[in-house]
Amino acid sequence: MLRNRIQNGERALATLERHLGKHPFLVEERYTVADVCLFAYVHLAPEAGVALTPYPAVTAWLERVKAQPGFLGPVPPYSANAHVR
C-alpha cells in the first residue's frame, strides 16, 4: 500500500513537472492561491519518501513560491503566545 502511495505521488509530481516546465506558476502565469495550496503538500514530499531531485521544474517552482513577498517559512504548530487547552 505504501508503495502505491509513493507511485501515485511520483505520477502527480511528473504531471506537475511537465506543467511547470512550461509555466512559472500553476494558473495564468502568476502566483495564485493554487500555488499556496499545492506548495503545502509538495514541499513535504521528501518526508513521505518521494524525492524531488528528479523534478527540477518543481524544485525551481518551490523556490519561486518561497521568494514571494510575505512567504512564511516553517511555522510551529502553536505560536509562542497560543494557549493550548
Side-chain angles (χ1 to χ4, degrees), residues 4-63:
N4 283 343
R5 289 181 182 172
I6 290 173
Q7 288 173 337
N8 288 341
E10 290 169 343
R11 277 196 298 277
L13 286 168
T15 299
L16 189 58
E17 178 72 15
R18 285 190 298 277
H19 178 80
L20 292 171
K22 298 175 186 171
H23 307 279
F25 294 104
L26 297 174
V27 180
E28 297 183 2
E29 309 299 315
R30 63 186 177 89
Y31 181 64
T32 68
V33 68
D35 297 286
V36 174
C37 293
L38 201 53
F39 176 91
Y41 293 97
V42 174
H43 86 282
L44 295 175
E47 291 183 27
V50 179
L52 291 175
T53 51
Y55 310 101
V58 171
T59 302
W61 167 76
L62 290 171
E63 293 305 313

